[in-house]
Structure formats: C-alpha cells, structure tokens
C-alpha cells in the first residue's frame, strides 16, 4: 500500500493498516504526549505482515511508551543545564548545538528529545531568538564548530538554511558546521540542488551526520541522496542508536555499518539509548551493548567501526562505553567517568 500523504495521527495509522482499531484508545494516549509522523517513504518500507518490523518499531507508536520508570527523565542528557540562550546548548568548550527548529519529518519513538520536539514542542526559533543565538556564537571565540540539530534542521527551506549559513559565514572563528538529520533517508527527494547549495558557506567545512538504525532504511533513493551530498563536497558521518529488537545483533549491525561505508558515510557514533520517558522497551543493558560491539571487532573493517557511547544523564557529556570509562558496580548500576574526570552513577541515583 502506497501512502499518498504523511501519517500524522492515530487515525492515519489505522487507515494505513499500521495500527489496529482496538489499539486506538491506548495510542491516542501516546499521541497526546508525543508527536507522530511518518513520511510516505517510511510507510512504504514497513512490512505489515511482520509484527517485529524494524521500521515500524522505530516510528509507529506503541502503548509501551506510557510506561515510565523512575530513572527516566524529560531532559535525559541535560540540554537545559547548558543552554545560556534559547536555541543554544554549550556543553563542550569548542562547540555548540544550534537548535533552530524542533519539528521533524518523522518522530522516532525512542527520541531523547521527545518531550521537546513536535507540534506541541518548543517550536522554531523566531528572528529575534535566532539573532540572539548567533550573537552568542559570535561573542564566544572558543566556538570552532556549530552543530545544527533540533528537531531536524533539514526540514527548513533552502532560504532559511541559506540565511543561517550566511550568518555563520560571517563568524570567522567558526570553521565547522554540522547538520544532524534523517532527511536523506526519510525524504530523500528533498535533498536537491537548492538544499545542497544552501548548506554551504565560504570558509566553512560542512558535515552531514546521517541518522539511520537499520540497513533497510538505506534504500536506493536514500543512497542517491547521500551521493548527491558527497559529490557536492559535503562530508558525511553516521549516527545510530543501539535498539532492542531493531539492530541488537552483531550481523545486523555489521551490515548497517558496511552499508554506510559503501555509500561514503563514515560510521561515527553508536548511541546507548538515553533515559527518555517511555523508552525502556528499546534499551539494552550496558553489558549486552558491549558484547554486541565487541563482536564487530575483526568481523568488519576498521573503516566500519562506530564509537559506542553513552550520554551521561545530567548534562555531563559523552563517555565511550569501555571498561576504563564505564565500570559495573553490581545490580545493573555503573560508575561513569566524564571528560573532565568526574564520576557519575548510571542510572542516576537521584
């Protein structure tokens, strides 16, 4: 069944055969809290005969999202603690996040910003807020890299993207601009000449970080979209989340990482799932993740190896999930070292 329009409601899901009418009430409760959106490209990828379809599990809401455990939190990686002005997260000295928009073409059911994104989320920065964010970047000479995230920055029009890049182009100390996006996978036709031209600015090196979690997302159209970006001189890296029942198998993960390399996307980060509300059904244990990632060694080329990381709850930054950084303390608890040498409990004791 081909979708004509994007799916944005429980009614749309039922009509598309992606949700049972009997589940409507529970899914409406999920939708009241967390946004729903699937593009036609994503909808066509779903195998309705497979109850464990990896695409459906990523994007179709589930009543399990209503189950929240004590360690989960609305801001699991501590964005708010490092937000000096609206739209900016300045967690590390040499780089900032610029959250220009808080909507996405699709909404991942495991999203760590699920309390902030969507039509009911924080919205798009208005002109005054965007100028304040740019003024902050301009006034901090230590900022070498600006990472556009949100939300998905590539939902913005080429005109809006061009305005942002022109403004960043005037800031001499910013050398790198990175876009984090799912658009080349979920709406590859949007990656056209106008959008690609809008991502460039004189004197800036541009990276696109592509979010994909399963090799079936890398359709021929997605691969062509990535080729257009790379052929235009834009470097690409990947980010994926290690998800129970979706990619928690060494062979499956190896296939994904090899596919990235084949399309000139360098595997970058493999995230341990964050403690976002209602996402416990996606999370593995640290030990399970370590075993899966260890199994990749020797199985695939070094070019294909991602870095397995954990965002430390509370805004303390990323930690590589290795024996020296993450240490088991027993009963599912760990001690995690941040980049400053601080020690933190995971899950957080508070």
């Amino acid at each position: 069944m081909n979708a004509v329009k994007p799916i944005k409601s429980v009614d749309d899901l039922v009509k598309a055969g992606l949700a049972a009418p009997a589940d409507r009430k529970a899914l409406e409760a999920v939708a009241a809290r967390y946004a729903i959106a699937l593009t036609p490209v994503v909808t066509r990828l779903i195998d309705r005969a497979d109850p464990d379809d990896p695409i459906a599990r990523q994007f179709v809401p589930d009543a399990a999202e209503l189950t929240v455990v004590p360690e989960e939190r609305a801001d699991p990686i501590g964005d708010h603690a490092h937000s000096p002005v609206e739209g900016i997260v300045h967690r590390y000295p040499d780089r900032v996040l610029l959250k220009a928009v808080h909507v996405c073409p699709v909404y991942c059911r495991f999203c760590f910003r699920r309390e902030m994104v969507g039509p009911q989320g924080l919205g798009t920065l208005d002109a005054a807020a965007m100028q304040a964010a740019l003024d902050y970047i301009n006034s901090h000479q230590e900022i070498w890299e600006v990472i556009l995230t949100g939300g998905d920055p590539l939902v913005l029009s080429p005109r809006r993207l061009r305005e942002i890049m022109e403004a960043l182009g005037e800031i001499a100390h910013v050398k790198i601009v990175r876009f984090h996006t799912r658009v080349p996978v979920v709406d590859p036709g949007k990656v056209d000449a106008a959008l690609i031209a809008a991502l460039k600015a004189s004197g800036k090196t541009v990276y696109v970080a592509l979010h994909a979690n399963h090799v079936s997302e890398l359709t021929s159209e997605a691969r062509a979209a990535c080729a257009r970006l790379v052929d235009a001189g834009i470097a690409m890296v990947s980010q994926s989340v290690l998800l129970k029942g979706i990619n928690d198998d060494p062979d499956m993960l190896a296939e994904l990482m090899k596919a990235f390399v084949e399309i000139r996307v360098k595997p970058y980060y493999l995230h341990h799932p964050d403690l976002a509300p209602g996402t416990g059904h996606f999370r593995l244990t640290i030990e399970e993740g370590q075993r899966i990632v260890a199994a990749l060694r020797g199985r695939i080329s070094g070019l294909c190896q991602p870095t397995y990381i954990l965002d430390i709850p509370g805004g303390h930054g990323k930690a590589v999930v290795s024996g020296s950084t993450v240490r088991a303390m027993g009963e599912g608890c760990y001690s995690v070292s941040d980049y400053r040498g601080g020690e933190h409990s995971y899950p957080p004791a508070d």
Side-chain angles (χ1 to χ4, degrees):
M1 180 186 301
N2 288 341
V4 176
K5 298 185 296 185
I7 288 174
K8 295 187 177 181
S9 70
V10 175
D11 277 345
D12 291 342
L13 289 168
V14 172
K15 290 174 184 176
L18 295 174
D23 296 331
R24 186 188 298 270
K25 184 176 180 180
L27 295 183
E28 289 287 5
V30 175
R33 183 165 182 180
Y34 305 118
I36 296 171
L38 290 79
T39 62
V41 169
V42 168
T43 303
R44 285 194 293 269
L45 285 177
I46 295 173
D47 180 357
R48 289 160 177 77
D50 181 1
D52 298 315
D53 180 80
I55 305 302
R57 290 204 65 230
Q58 291 185 66
F59 302 112
V60 176
D62 189 306
E65 295 174 51
L66 299 174
T67 301
V68 178
V69 296
E71 62 265 26
E72 293 175 342
R73 47 187 63 191
D75 183 16
I77 69 168
D79 278 357
H80 293 323
H82 297 278
S83 185
V85 299
E86 184 182 2
I88 292 287
V89 178
H90 196 175
R91 195 186 324 273
Y92 300 99
D94 73 334
R95 55 204 182 275
V96 296
L97 304 183
L98 174 55
K99 298 196 288 185
V101 62
H102 287 84
V103 296
C104 301
V106 294
Y107 292 104
C108 304
R109 309 321 302 170
F110 49 85
C111 178
F112 68 98
R113 291 197 179 111
R114 64 199 324 240
E115 301 278 357
M116 310 172 200
V117 300
Q120 71 272 50
L122 300 179
T124 301
L125 293 187
D126 61 24
M130 176 60 76
Q131 189 57 55
L134 292 167
D135 288 345
Y136 179 88
I137 295 168
N138 192 38
S139 66
H140 286 260
Q141 297 285 322
E142 72 274 21
I143 296 173
W144 173 80
E145 180 180 23
V146 174
I147 303 166
L148 280 102
T149 179
D152 192 318
L154 295 197
V155 302
L156 295 171
S157 68
R159 177 186 63 81
R160 291 291 304 280
L161 289 168
R162 185 170 57 251
E163 289 171 353
I164 293 170
M165 289 302 291
E166 287 174 351
L168 292 174
E170 298 296 319
I171 304 176
H173 57 266
V174 171
K175 304 298 183 183
I176 309 294
V177 182
R178 191 193 329 166
F179 293 86
H180 280 238
T181 184
R182 265 194 177 276
V183 164
V185 164
V186 303
D187 191 9
K190 194 173 192 302
V191 184
D192 58 13
L195 183 142
I196 292 170
L199 300 183
K200 297 185 176 185
S202 177
K204 310 305 176 195
T205 299
V206 178
Y207 282 78
V208 167
L210 176 69
H211 184 166
N213 299 313
H214 194 274
V215 71
S216 63
E217 297 174 60
L218 300 179
T219 62
S220 59
E221 293 83 3
R223 292 167 187 249
C226 292
R228 291 193 290 274
L229 287 161
V230 177
D231 288 345
I234 295 174
M236 295 190 70
V237 297
S238 76
Q239 65 169 10
S240 304
V241 184
L242 186 58
L243 298 164
K244 182 184 293 185
I246 294 172
N247 58 15
D248 56 335
D249 173 85
D251 290 331
M252 193 176 298
L253 205 58
E255 188 179 5
L256 174 63
M257 296 303 152
K258 289 167 73 174
F260 280 140
V261 172
E262 290 167 7
I263 62 172
R264 295 176 288 173
V265 175
K266 176 67 181 78
Y268 180 40
Y269 278 157
L270 178 65
H271 294 262
H272 191 79
D274 295 308
L275 295 172
T279 62
H281 53 298
F282 289 110
R283 284 197 297 275
L284 300 87
T285 66
I286 292 287
E287 286 94 347
E288 287 171 329
Q290 288 174 325
R291 284 195 295 270
I292 291 167
V293 173
L296 292 178
R297 293 292 170 189
R299 185 179 301 229
I300 53 177
S301 165
L303 286 173
C304 304
Q305 303 288 341
T307 300
Y308 181 33
I309 61 159
L310 170 73
D311 263 298
I312 305 170
H316 303 289
K318 293 177 174 63
V320 177
V321 186
S322 65
S324 61
T325 305
V326 179
R327 296 172 299 285
M329 305 299 288
E331 299 183 357
C333 297
Y334 306 85
S335 177
V336 186
S337 301
D338 67 29
Y339 72 99
R340 296 187 181 92
E343 295 289 326
H344 308 277
S345 60
Y346 181 89
D350 58 349

